[in-house]
């Protein structure tokens, strides 16, 4: 094959932060499989290789039945201090290629589309190498008090600032002659390929794992529901256990109180800015809930004992059909209206029966940002 483009995925057996992380399951698959599938699905990558020092990793990669060739990684290039360049140079001695795409398994959000668009940009713009990055709107300072990416005297408004591209370590593209000349993955005319903000996460520490797993599950979910989500025009939201933590608090005079989360309220406001109407529905005749709804400017319907039948009233009021409604609830009395709505969601601590029928289960509990998370899913889909 003339001028082949190959993918190299280094998979070291050892790991200090997360033992065995390259083959540890995340969102239903071993971590390395996400990157391997992306490389194999790319229409512009001719061959895919794994370089590893681990017999266990070899066995697991072979079990995937993917068109991947495994090559041995010398022990001296598999230490905690060994560089990626050392693996790439060893690889170049064994495999013929014109361009190598080095993909990091610790960035499982990389897709085949990302790889194809980056390779296409390398070709069309005549780059010798490419690095991936995401836009960050953060002001960066050195430890000795020097602003590194803006002028403090002319501080830009964050919303008007284009930001800076920050390397995310997802993958690198390198022409063979650049690797041989510079002994480095980057050199010559360097391009920066911008990726989605969510791909800023790399898995290095245990806390990163939970974040990436949530993002992987959300991405899969969005793919399944994208058309439904785009058609949502009304969001109906429960109160107790959804907008609150489900607790009832009493003062010395016996007055009941509820704890709401300001981020949830902001999320509902963001929906309205996107042209999505919002209604709060509760079985309780709660003056506290009524006061909260008035405070955030959202209509509330109190004392609704049969939410499912009330859906028709809501649809008539907002001139929508059930196929344009999303319902957020947490308990048994929410199940029927959730099933009749086009899309349903619930907090992480909703009752088991609700979690089983919900289209989306948030990673956060009720009253602690679950509604905000669901609002962001709806907004991102648009």
């Amino acid at each position: 094959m003339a001028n082949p483009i190959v993918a190299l995925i280094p998979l070291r057996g050892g790991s200090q932060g997360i033992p065995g992380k390259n083959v540890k399951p995340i969102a239903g698959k071993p971590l390395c499989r996400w990157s391997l599938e992306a490389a194999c699905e790319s229409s512009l990558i001719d061959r895919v290789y794994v370089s590893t020092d681990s017999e266990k990793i070899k066995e697991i990669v072979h079990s995937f039945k993917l068109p991947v060739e495994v090559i041995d990684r010398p022990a001296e290039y598999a230490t905690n201090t060994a560089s990626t360049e050392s693996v790439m140079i060893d690889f170049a001695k064994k495999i013929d290629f014109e361009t190598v795409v080095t993909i990091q398994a610790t960035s499982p959000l990389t897709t085949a589309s990302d790889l194809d668009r980056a390779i296409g940009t390398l070709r069309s713009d005549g780059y010798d190498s490419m690095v991936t990055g995401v836009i960050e709107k953060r002001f960066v300072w050195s430890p000795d008090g020097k602003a590194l990416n803006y002028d403090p005297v002319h501080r830009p408004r964050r919303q008007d600032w284009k930001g800076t591209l920050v390397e995310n370590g997802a993958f690198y593209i390198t022409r063979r002659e650049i690797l041989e000349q510079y002994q480095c993955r980057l050199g010559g005319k360097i391009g920066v390929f911008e990726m989605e903000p969510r791909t800023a996460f790399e898995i290095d520490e245990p806390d990163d794992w939970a974040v990436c797993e949530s993002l992987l599950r959300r991405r899969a979910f969005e793919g399944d529901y994208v058309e439904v989500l785009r058609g949502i025009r009304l969001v109906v939201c429960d109160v107790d256990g959804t907008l609150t933590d489900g607790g009832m608090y009493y003062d010395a005079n016996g007055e009941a109180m509820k704890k709401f989360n300001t981020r949830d309220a902001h999320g509902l406001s963001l929906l309205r800015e996107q042209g999505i109407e919002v209604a709060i529905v509760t079985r309780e005749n709660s003056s506290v809930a009524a006061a909260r709804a008035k405070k955030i400017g959202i209509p509330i319907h109190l004392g609704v004992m049969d939410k499912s039948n009330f859906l028709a009233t809501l649809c008539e009021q907002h001139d929508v059909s059930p196929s344009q409604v999303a319902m957020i609830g947490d308990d048994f009395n929410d199940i029927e209206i959730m099933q009749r709505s086009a899309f349903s969601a619930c907090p992480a601590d909703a009752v088991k029966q609700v979690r089983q029928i919900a289209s989306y289960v948030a990673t956060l509990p009720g009253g602690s940002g679950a509604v905000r998370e669901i609002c962001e899913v709806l907004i991102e889909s648009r």
Side-chain angles (χ1 to χ4, degrees):
M1 184 179 296
N3 302 323
I5 297 177
V6 302
L8 167 63
I9 302 176
L11 299 177
R12 189 164 64 91
S15 172
Q16 288 182 312
I18 305 174
K21 69 179 177 183
N22 282 320
V23 291
K24 181 179 177 180
I26 182 170
K29 301 177 185 179
L31 174 62
C32 65
R33 180 151 189 161
W34 293 96
S35 298
L36 285 168
E37 288 182 349
C40 291
E41 291 168 6
S42 166
S43 62
L44 298 179
I45 292 175
D46 300 306
R47 297 194 298 271
V48 180
Y49 295 87
V50 163
S51 173
T52 184
D53 62 314
S54 167
E55 291 299 322
K56 180 180 180 180
I57 289 177
K58 288 181 185 179
E59 292 177 9
I60 290 175
V61 170
H62 285 312
S63 73
F64 296 155
K65 305 299 183 183
L66 295 171
V68 176
E69 184 175 338
V70 180
I71 61 175
D72 290 322
R73 178 171 175 171
E76 62 266 33
Y77 303 145
T79 65
N80 291 330
T81 57
S83 67
T84 299
E85 273 79 4
S86 66
V87 182
M88 294 173 68
I89 292 166
D90 174 71
F91 175 74
K93 294 176 181 177
K94 300 172 180 176
I95 304 298
D96 180 44
F97 62 85
E98 189 273 333
T99 301
V100 59
V101 185
T102 305
I103 306 171
Q104 303 292 355
T106 49
S107 296
L109 290 157
T110 300
T111 66
S113 174
D114 292 326
L115 297 169
D116 285 345
R117 288 186 294 119
I119 294 169
T121 302
L122 179 98
R123 287 173 166 175
S124 63
D125 293 1
Y127 292 119
D128 297 308
S129 58
M130 290 195 77
V131 60
T132 59
V134 297
I135 289 289
E136 283 264 351
K137 291 193 174 183
R138 294 181 181 273
F139 301 126
V140 182
W141 290 74
S142 68
D144 60 353
K146 293 181 180 178
L148 300 180
N149 64 345
Y150 82 110
D151 179 3
V153 177
H154 303 288
R155 182 186 179 95
R157 293 199 317 157
R158 193 180 298 272
Q159 57 267 46
D160 297 330
W161 187 39
K162 293 182 178 180
T164 54
L165 273 168
V166 178
E167 186 174 333
N168 67 349
F171 61 91
Y172 303 84
I173 310 178
T174 316
R175 297 192 188 275
R176 173 182 280 274
E177 57 265 30
I178 294 300
L179 180 61
E180 292 176 341
Q181 179 181 350
Y182 296 98
Q183 302 287 288
C184 181
R185 71 191 86 177
L186 297 172
K189 183 181 178 183
I190 302 173
V192 182
F193 178 71
E194 183 181 341
M195 296 178 67
E196 287 186 328
R198 72 175 91 186
T199 64
F201 289 97
E202 296 180 85
I203 298 177
D204 289 319
E205 302 297 333
D207 287 348
D208 303 331
W209 194 274
V211 173
C212 274
E213 183 159 37
S214 174
L215 290 170
L216 284 167
R217 292 191 185 281
R218 179 183 288 193
R219 186 180 69 184
F221 154 78
E222 288 170 350
D224 292 338
Y225 285 92
V226 63
E227 293 304 321
V228 172
L229 291 170
R230 287 175 179 168
I232 297 299
R233 290 178 53 198
L234 171 65
V235 171
V236 182
C237 190
D238 175 49
V239 177
D240 293 324
T242 304
L243 282 171
T244 78
D245 60 4
M248 294 293 291
Y249 306 90
Y250 294 88
D251 63 16
N253 298 316
E255 293 292 328
M257 295 176 287
K258 302 176 187 287
K259 181 174 74 70
F260 294 87
N261 189 296
T262 57
R263 289 191 293 273
D264 289 340
H266 189 210
L268 295 174
S269 296
L270 291 173
L271 285 180
R272 301 182 80 182
E273 290 177 10
Q274 292 286 323
I276 301 174
E277 291 298 316
V278 178
I280 297 173
V281 178
T282 177
R283 296 180 67 180
E284 302 295 324
N285 281 299
S286 169
S287 59
V288 176
R292 181 58 177 164
K294 182 178 180 180
K295 171 74 173 178
I296 61 179
I298 293 176
I300 186 170
H301 304 272
L302 301 168
V304 179
M305 302 307 294
D306 190 335
K307 295 180 183 179
S308 179
N309 286 335
F310 192 65
L311 179 61
T313 301
L314 288 169
C315 287
E316 183 178 353
Q317 288 179 353
H318 295 273
D319 191 25
V320 298
S321 68
S323 65
Q324 298 170 306
V325 176
M327 173 66 196
I328 309 174
D330 77 300
D331 213 334
F332 293 110
N333 63 310
D334 298 314
I335 289 178
E336 286 192 32
I337 187 173
M338 290 173 73
Q339 291 176 323
R340 291 185 61 191
S341 301
F343 174 78
S344 60
C346 68
D349 59 347
V351 299
K352 179 181 178 181
Q353 291 82 350
V354 169
R355 297 198 309 271
Q356 288 175 337
I357 62 98
S359 311
Y360 181 79
V361 179
T363 60
L364 298 170
S368 299
V371 171
R372 173 61 177 270
E373 178 184 332
I374 295 162
C375 290
E376 288 178 352
V377 168
L378 288 162
I379 292 168
E380 287 171 7
S381 72
R382 302 169 79 84

